[in-house]
Amino acid sequence: MLRWKRVEISAGALLLGAALYYLDEQGVLLMAFCACALHELGHWLVIRALGGRVTALRITCVGAEMRLSARCPLGYWQQIAAALAGPAVNLLAARMAVGLGTEGAYCFAGLNLALAAFNLLQIGRASCRERVYQLV
C-alpha cells in the first residue's frame, strides 16, 4: 500500500497501472486516467458544495473510494447527488469530446461513457445504482 497524505493506492492498483502502461502503445492509459480523475473530481466537488468533507481517497484496481468525515455527514438526498456527480461529469466530458470530432476525442468519449456506465451499474455497498434505486 502506497500512502501519501490522504491518498492510499493499493498494490493491486500499482501493478495494474504498471502492466497497462507497459502494454499501452496508443496512449489510451493517459486518457483513461484523465477520465477517472474527472469522475472523482465530480464526486469531490459536489461533496464539498454540499458541506461534506473527504478525509481520504483510496485507489484500488477496480476503482476509487472516498471516505467522508463523520463530523460533516451528508443527508440522504445529498448522498444521491454526490453519487451521481461522477457519472454526470463523465457524460458531460463525453459529450464535449464528441464535439471535437477527432479520433482521440472519440476514444476519450468512449472511455468516459464506459466509466459512467460502470459506476452506474456496479454492485457495491455505496454504488450509484443503489442510490438511484433508493430514489425510485
Side-chain angles (χ1 to χ4, degrees), residues 52-116:
R53 183 168 178 260
V54 176
T55 58
L57 173 65
R58 180 165 186 209
I59 301 170
T60 67
C61 56
V62 293
E65 170 189 324
M66 288 187 182
R67 291 188 202 127
L68 303 181
S69 171
R71 295 173 53 185
C72 304
L74 296 179
Y76 176 77
W77 295 104
Q78 292 172 323
Q79 290 179 28
I80 292 172
L84 293 175
V89 168
N90 286 126
L91 294 173
L92 179 63
R95 177 63 186 109
M96 292 172 64
V98 166
L100 296 175
T102 64
E103 185 177 336
Y106 288 135
C107 180
F108 186 67
L111 288 167
N112 275 284
L113 289 174
L115 184 57

Side-chain angles (χ1 to χ4, degrees), residues 5-92:
K5 295 188 181 185
R6 290 189 248 168
V7 178
E8 299 174 358
I9 304 174
S10 72
L14 291 171
L15 287 172
L16 180 63
L20 291 174
Y21 178 76
Y22 177 75
L23 297 171
D24 183 23
E25 295 179 0
Q26 303 293 323
V28 175
L29 185 62
L30 181 59
M31 286 190 275
F33 177 74
C34 289
C36 292
L38 284 172
H39 178 91
E40 294 306 322
L41 182 64
H43 288 304
W44 183 80
L45 287 173
V46 169
I47 289 168
R48 292 292 294 172
L50 295 174
R53 183 168 178 260
V54 176
T55 58
L57 173 65
R58 180 165 186 209
I59 301 170
T60 67
C61 56
V62 293
E65 170 189 324
M66 288 187 182
R67 291 188 202 127
L68 303 181
S69 171
R71 295 173 53 185
C72 304
L74 296 179
Y76 176 77
W77 295 104
Q78 292 172 323
Q79 290 179 28
I80 292 172
L84 293 175
V89 168
N90 286 126
L91 294 173
L92 179 63

